[in-house]
Amino acid sequence: MLKITKTTETHLIELSPERIEAGAWINLVRPTADELSEAERMTGAPQDFIRSAMDPEESSRIEIEENHILVLINVPIDHESHDYEYDTIPLGIIITPDYFVTICQEYNDVIQNFSEARFRYFCTFKRTRLLFQILYRSAMLFLKDLRQMTRRSDQIEQDLRQSMKNEELFQLLDLQKGLTYYSMSLRSNKVVVERLLRLCSNPQVSHIIKFREEDDDLLDDVRVEYDQAIEMAQIQTDVLAGMMDAFASVISNNLNIVMKFLASITIVLAIPTMVASFFGMNVPVPWTAHPMGFTIVCFIALIMTIAATWVLWKKRLF
C-alpha cells in the first residue's frame, strides 16, 4: 500500500502520485514491486534505500548518500496479528530535501499513531521533527510491551507456583526470547539516536536535517525513553533468567521428592510380599496345620509393614 499525505493548518490531506507536493509524507506498508518503483521515481532515492526495510534481518543504522538520508530502526510488531509474539521488524525512514518516506513490510502501531485524528501533533513538512516523533513513539511502544511482559511473567509465575506444567515454562521461554530481540533492537536504535544527535550539528547535512531549537527537548525525551527501555529490558531479562533457574531447581527438587516417596512406597509394599513369599515356599513352615495360621502370617506382615512405615516417616521419607 502506498499512501501520500500532507498536513495543512486544518487537516491531513491525501495526495496522488501525479499531484505530489513538496513536504509530503510517502508511506509504504507491504508495498508491491510497482509501488517501490513508484517511490523511487518520485523521490529519486537510491534503490537500496527504498528496499532496505524489506529485509527482515536488516539492522538499525544510518546511511547518507547525496541528498538522501536513510534511518533504519527496529520497531515492535503488531501483536494482534502475530498472536502476541514479541518480535521486531525494520522500519525504513528516508529523508530527502522535499519528501519524508517511511517503508515497512508490516502494519505497525508506530506509523498508525500518525493518523488524521492526530494531525495537529505532527507536520509532514517538518521532517526532522517527524523523525524524532517516530523514534519517540517507537520507544514508548517498547516500554509498553516491556510492562506487558512484566505482567505476563508475574502471571506465569503464579501459575507455576500452583502446578508445574510445560506450557508455562514454554511461555517463559517465549518471553525470554522476546526480551532478547527487544534488547538488541533497543541498543541498536539507541546507537541510531546518538548518531542523529551528531548529524544535527553537522553543517554538511543541514539542508536535509534541519534541527530547530524546539526539537532539542524532543530529542532529549527520545534519548531518555530509550535509556529507560534498555534498563527495563535488562532488569526484566535478569529477573526472567533468575526465575528460569529457580523453577528448574524447583522442578528437579519436586522430581526428587516424588522419587523418594515412590521408593518408600516400594519398600513398604515389599515387606508383605516378602513375608508371603517365605510362607509360600514348598518346605515345612510354622503354623502350616494351625487353624489360625493364615491370620497369624497376615498379622506378622501387618506389624512389620506398620513398623517400616513408622521408621520411614520418622526419617521424613514420606
Side-chain angles (χ1 to χ4, degrees):
M1 183 196 74
L2 186 150
K3 186 177 181 181
I4 305 173
T5 55
K6 183 179 180 180
T7 53
T8 64
E9 293 182 357
T10 56
H11 59 284
L12 183 70
I13 61 175
E14 187 170 347
L15 306 174
S16 64
E18 294 77 18
R19 300 181 59 185
I20 190 171
E21 301 175 4
W25 176 9
I26 304 172
N27 181 32
L28 295 101
V29 180
R30 294 180 181 172
T32 63
D34 293 338
E35 290 173 340
L36 291 174
S37 300
E38 182 70 14
E40 293 175 22
R41 183 192 64 79
M42 287 186 295
T43 62
Q47 183 179 16
D48 57 330
F49 279 19
I50 294 292
R51 301 179 185 272
S52 58
M54 303 309 296
D55 185 0
E57 304 300 326
E58 286 284 354
S59 58
S60 301
R61 66 181 188 276
I62 294 180
E63 291 186 13
I64 303 174
E65 186 172 331
E66 296 180 355
N67 293 329
H68 302 85
I69 295 180
L70 169 67
V71 179
L72 195 65
I73 61 173
N74 287 303
V75 297
I77 62 173
D78 183 6
H79 303 308
E80 293 183 0
S81 59
H82 291 79
D83 296 329
Y84 289 91
E85 177 186 1
Y86 293 99
D87 202 352
T88 60
I89 54 174
L91 171 64
I93 304 169
I94 302 173
I95 301 177
T96 73
D98 295 323
Y99 307 112
F100 186 88
V101 185
T102 55
I103 307 169
C104 190
Q105 57 186 335
E106 295 285 347
Y107 290 96
N108 60 84
D109 292 336
V110 175
I111 299 301
Q112 291 178 357
N113 184 66
F114 298 89
S115 60
E116 186 175 359
R118 297 176 57 86
F119 77 93
R120 294 185 180 87
Y121 300 100
F122 66 95
C123 297
T124 58
F125 53 85
K126 292 183 180 180
R127 294 178 293 278
T128 304
R129 184 171 183 83
L130 182 56
L131 170 62
F132 292 161
Q133 288 176 322
I134 290 176
L135 290 171
Y136 182 79
R137 176 61 181 169
S138 68
M140 294 297 294
L141 286 177
F142 274 116
L143 283 171
K144 176 184 175 182
D145 286 349
L146 288 170
R147 295 188 185 100
Q148 188 180 36
M149 286 182 180
T150 302
R151 291 192 294 269
R152 284 195 64 191
S153 63
D154 292 341
Q155 182 60 47
I156 294 171
E157 181 183 358
Q158 293 300 323
D159 295 340
L160 279 171
R161 288 178 183 273
Q162 297 175 6
S163 63
M164 293 291 177
K165 294 182 180 179
N166 290 337
E167 182 181 354
E168 284 80 10
L169 293 176
F170 288 146
Q171 290 178 3
L172 281 180
L173 286 174
D174 290 339
L175 280 181
Q176 200 168 32
K177 182 175 68 174
L179 276 171
T180 302
Y181 293 151
Y182 274 28
S183 297
M184 293 173 58
S185 298
L186 284 168
R187 287 188 171 86
S188 57
N189 287 359
K190 178 64 184 306
V191 173
V192 169
V193 173
E194 295 293 343
R195 190 178 177 195
L196 271 176
L197 183 62
R198 295 192 297 269
L199 281 177
C200 290
S201 58
N202 188 348
Q204 296 181 353
V205 294
S206 58
H207 62 291
I208 307 176
I209 296 184
K210 297 179 181 180
F211 188 76
R212 300 175 175 85
E213 292 184 1
E214 59 267 24
D215 297 335
D216 190 35
D217 292 339
L218 180 57
L219 184 56
D220 286 340
D221 291 341
V222 172
R223 295 175 62 187
V224 168
E225 294 299 326
Y226 269 109
D227 287 337
Q228 182 179 352
I230 291 172
E231 183 178 358
M232 188 173 180
Q234 184 60 48
I235 293 173
Q236 189 63 19
T237 300
D238 295 340
V239 169
L240 270 183
M243 190 185 302
M244 290 291 291
D245 293 340
F247 279 113
S249 300
V250 170
I251 292 172
S252 178
N253 187 52
N254 288 348
L255 179 61
N256 292 336
I257 293 173
V258 171
M259 295 303 295
K260 182 174 64 174
F261 177 78
L262 292 177
S264 301
I265 293 294
T266 302
I267 293 172
V268 171
L269 294 178
I271 292 175
T273 303
M274 179 181 64
V275 173
S277 299
F278 287 153
F279 281 90
M281 291 181 179
N282 244 349
V283 295
V285 293
W287 311 303
T288 303
H290 197 284
M292 298 292 292
F294 178 75
T295 305
I296 294 172
V297 172
C298 291
F299 183 75
I300 292 174
L302 178 62
I303 293 299
M304 294 178 65
T305 301
I306 293 174
T309 303
W310 182 81
V311 171
L312 293 173
W313 180 76
K314 291 294 288 184
K315 292 183 176 293
R316 298 179 182 271
L317 295 177
F318 273 110

